[in-house]
């Protein structure tokens, strides 16, 4: 028993390295791990969306960081903005038609704390001034006009300051099925004009639903008919009244929008003409 006890009571194991240099290296590694954990908590990013905090940028206010987003739509959110960021927005597929690409951003309702510029070859052009945007206003520019340069404005108190926006990339020469929200035939029941936003809200009674996405039009149980709302430009001069129209639209920042809609009889005439000439890219049941 004594021998067994002595064996257990042998020399204690050394828990810390004997070399001061090795101990210093271990402490430095631990510090880097802690900083990395804190930084990952302040930034969240994927190919479409970016969310970050200026608190991790405080010690490098004069540095300009690069943000790369590769989606047709997404969001950017910068809490407690300090310093500056360059945001590179590009589609996930490189194409020669990118020169026809249009980029649009819609600032968050309470976005503040930074100016948003267009930057190209070191030159800056103001796109959205700090706090100057109006609700629901959308700012668009061509892809070849440059990247977005977001610079924090001097603040006594950066708390509660968030600069953010949604973005969408659209190629005017390519109409993608992914962006088509609906193709319907119907009549206009009511129109609400919003001059400040330069747009009209159209209440539509659907006589035929060809296709839709995002459930813009709903089947009303009371009347057993499809109804819904869609927005268009105020300059289209839409008015309620008799007659059928062909409505085609797409999702635009979460809302269904369309360009000026032709009367169905005018569309039918153009459709038949294109069909006779063999120029129809697709077929639509016109009965």
């Amino acid at each position: 028993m004594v021998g067994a006890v002595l064996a257990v009571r042998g020399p204690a194991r050394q828990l810390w390295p004997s070399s001061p240099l090795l101990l210093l290296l271990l402490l430095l590694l631990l510090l880097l791990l802690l900083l990395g954990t804190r930084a990952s908590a302040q930034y969240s990013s994927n190919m479409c969306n970016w969310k970050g905090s200026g608190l991790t940028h405080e010690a490098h206010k004069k540095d300009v960081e690069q943000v790369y987003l590769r989606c047709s739509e997404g969001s950017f959110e910068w809490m407690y903005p300090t310093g500056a960021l360059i945001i590179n927005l590009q589609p996930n597929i490189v194409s020669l038609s990118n020169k026809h690409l249009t980029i649009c951003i819609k600032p968050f309702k309470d976005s503040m704390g930074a100016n948003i510029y267009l930057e190209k070859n070191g030159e800056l052009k103001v796109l959205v001034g700090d706090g100057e945007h109006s609700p629901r206003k959308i700012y668009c520019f061509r892809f070849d006009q440059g990247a977005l340069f977001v610079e924090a404005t001097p603040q006594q108190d950066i708390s509660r300051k968030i600069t953010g926006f949604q973005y969408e990339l659209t190629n005017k020469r390519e109409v993608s099925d992914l962006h088509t929200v609906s193709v319907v035939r119907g009549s206009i029941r009511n129109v609400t004009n919003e001059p400040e936003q330069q747009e009209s809200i159209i209440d539509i009674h659907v006589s035929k639903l060809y296709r839709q996405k995002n459930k813009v039009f709903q089947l009303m149980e009371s009347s057993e008919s499809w109804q819904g709302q869609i927005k268009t430009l105020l300059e289209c001069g839409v008015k309620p009244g008799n007659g059928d129209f062909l409505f085609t639209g797409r999702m635009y920042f979460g809302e269904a929008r369309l360009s000026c809609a032709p009367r169905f009889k005018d569309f039918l005439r153009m459709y038949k003409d294109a069909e006779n000439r063999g120029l129809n890219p697709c077929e639509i049941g016109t009965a």
Side-chain angles (χ1 to χ4, degrees), residues 62-98:
K62 295 183 179 180
D63 296 340
V64 179
E65 296 185 20
Q66 299 272 351
V67 174
Y68 295 91
L69 295 172
R70 297 287 187 272
C71 274
S72 60
E73 59 183 58
S75 63
F76 167 87
E77 185 174 351
W78 193 17
M79 299 179 293
Y80 321 120
T82 57
L85 298 173
I86 291 181
I87 307 170
N88 300 277
L89 299 174
Q90 293 187 5
N92 52 11
I93 299 177
V94 178
S95 171
L96 293 177
S97 60
N98 283 354

Side-chain angles (χ1 to χ4, degrees), residues 162-221:
I162 297 177
T163 298
F165 56 80
Q166 294 173 271
Y167 71 86
E168 287 193 8
L169 281 64
T170 305
N171 194 319
K172 299 295 184 180
R173 296 195 175 185
E174 296 178 4
V175 181
S176 170
D177 287 340
L178 295 176
H179 289 100
T180 301
V181 58
S182 61
V183 180
V184 301
R185 175 183 175 182
S187 58
I188 300 173
R189 297 172 59 91
N190 186 50
V191 177
T192 303
N193 293 323
E194 296 187 348
E196 184 177 343
Q197 305 301 326
Q198 288 296 297
E199 62 186 19
S200 298
I201 302 174
I202 310 170
D203 293 312
I204 300 174
H205 178 271
V206 178
S207 57
K208 185 164 185 178
L209 178 68
Y210 294 101
R211 63 167 295 175
Q212 74 163 332
K213 301 183 78 171
N214 300 80
K215 298 182 179 180
V216 173
F217 297 94
Q218 301 287 334
L219 182 62
M220 310 303 292
E221 295 182 0

Side-chain angles (χ1 to χ4, degrees), residues 185 208 210 246 264 267-268 271-272 282-287:
R185 175 183 175 182
K208 185 164 185 178
Y210 294 101
L246 182 74
F264 187 74
F267 163 76
L268 194 60
Y271 180 86
K272 292 296 184 182
C282 58
E283 293 184 5
I284 295 179
T286 56

Side-chain angles (χ1 to χ4, degrees), residues 11-156:
R13 294 170 57 191
Q14 190 170 6
L15 298 178
W16 294 96
S18 57
S19 170
L21 180 59
L22 183 57
L23 177 59
L24 181 60
L25 290 175
L26 288 174
L27 291 175
L28 181 59
L29 178 61
L30 180 60
L31 179 61
L32 290 175
L33 288 174
L34 289 174
L35 290 175
T37 302
R38 181 173 180 266
S40 63
Q42 296 290 343
Y43 287 86
S44 174
S45 178
N46 54 37
M47 295 292 286
C48 302
N49 309 298
W50 186 91
K51 184 176 182 179
S53 170
L55 296 179
T56 58
H57 195 71
E58 184 72 24
H60 306 280
K61 289 183 179 180
K62 295 183 179 180
D63 296 340
V64 179
E65 296 185 20
Q66 299 272 351
V67 174
Y68 295 91
L69 295 172
R70 297 287 187 272
C71 274
S72 60
E73 59 183 58
S75 63
F76 167 87
E77 185 174 351
W78 193 17
M79 299 179 293
Y80 321 120
T82 57
L85 298 173
I86 291 181
I87 307 170
N88 300 277
L89 299 174
Q90 293 187 5
N92 52 11
I93 299 177
V94 178
S95 171
L96 293 177
S97 60
N98 283 354
K99 63 181 180 180
H100 304 298
L101 203 64
T102 297
I103 301 174
C104 295
I105 67 171
K106 182 179 181 181
F108 294 159
K109 180 180 178 181
D110 299 321
S111 178
M112 61 179 63
N115 293 317
I116 302 176
Y117 302 88
L118 283 177
E119 186 277 330
K120 186 174 183 180
N121 300 326
E123 295 185 3
L124 298 178
K125 179 181 178 181
V126 178
L127 183 66
V128 187
D130 184 10
E132 293 180 358
H133 63 279
S134 59
R136 295 189 292 177
K137 186 171 182 180
I138 296 170
Y139 303 82
C140 298
F141 57 95
R142 297 191 314 274
F143 177 77
D144 60 4
Q145 286 185 275
L148 290 175
F149 184 89
V150 185
E151 183 179 34
T153 54
Q155 304 285 340
Q156 294 294 328

